[in-house]
Amino acid sequence: MTETNELVFNDEMPERYLYEMDEDKHEVALSTSDLAVYYGGDKLALSDADLKFERFKITSLIGASGSGKSTFLRSLNRMNDSVARVDGKIMYRGLNINSSDIDVYEMRKHIGMVFQRPNPFAKSIYDNITFALKQHGIRNKAELDEIVETSLRQAALWDEVKDDLNKSALALSGGQQQRLVIARAVAMKPDILLLDEPASALDPISSSKIEDTLLKLKDEYTIIIVTHNMQQAARISDYTAFFHMGKVIEYDLTRKIFTRPKVQRTIDYVNGNFG
Ligand SMILES: Nc1ncnc2c1ncn2[C@@H]1O[C@H](COP(=O)(O)OP(=O)(O)O)[C@@H](O)[C@H]1O
Ligand SMILES: [Mg+2]
């Protein structure tokens, strides 16, 4: 346990500060320890990223481009398996899901991912949501209908598409497509949703709809979101981790990161003084 606070004397600032989540008071949905990600065999792209994510909260991952946010996020549900070596532990419900004997396909039902660019299937709105469900053996029409409606409601898209469920998903606007992709992820009833800059390709109104959607979803899901938009992180997240050059430099409650960060680099970043 590093009690960084106690090491701060005479205005001397720590080089790193990671909030220590008290597991008696906060339910931890996912945690990482000794994580290290190498691309191309030996290029260390990420280390020093031991974090605990609280259940039913939103955690933002912020930092400059290339600081390792996506590398970290994608490691959490093993999306890096084919491109990188990932060492360390990722603990989910008492299991190290980074171990080789984990059924990755099964694990991703619990830990879903939404990417930066909306990637609906070239199918109807309805089929986008039911495709994976059917593959997992759900065939009952009434049950599928119910899940389609619930997930579209959760993703704040139902009112806009309820009369057009057979329309191609590709005919939706970018913002609607992204909410459809969120609905598709939610339909699998995951515990944890990982989102990599889900609103960055969208206009401000669509982006704010995504934010509203995430705030609603946090009643039922643990959300970890990469965003390069600091206002967005400040608006929606409970916790924020600041990445710099492949390490987490500071992790704390969002309000602390944006009002009283403890590390000089974080201060520079949130004040826009970075180059
Ligand atoms: N597939 C990859 N192969 C090799 N290097 C990669 C790959 N993906 C990311 N990197 C490198 O890892 C570092 C972190 O990248 P990334 O995680 O994408 O940062 P961010 O999401 O914060 O912009 C960068 O130096 C980037 O060039
Ligand atoms: Mg990225």
Side-chain angles (χ1 to χ4, degrees), residues 39-40 43-46 62-74 80 83-84 196-197 226 243 246:
Y39 288 112
K43 187 190 167 237
L44 180 62
L46 185 89
I62 65 167
S65 179
S67 59
K69 306 178 297 295
S70 296
T71 296
F72 178 79
L73 189 81
R74 294 168 60 86
N80 280 335
V83 288
D196 197 347
E197 306 203 24
V226 170
F243 285 69

Side-chain angles (χ1 to χ4, degrees), residues 126 130 138-150:
Y126 187 95
T130 57
I138 303 176
R139 302 256 158 214
N140 180 289
K141 173 86 166 70
E143 188 180 352
L144 290 170
D145 286 352
E146 204 276 320
I147 299 175
V148 167
E149 176 168 346
T150 307

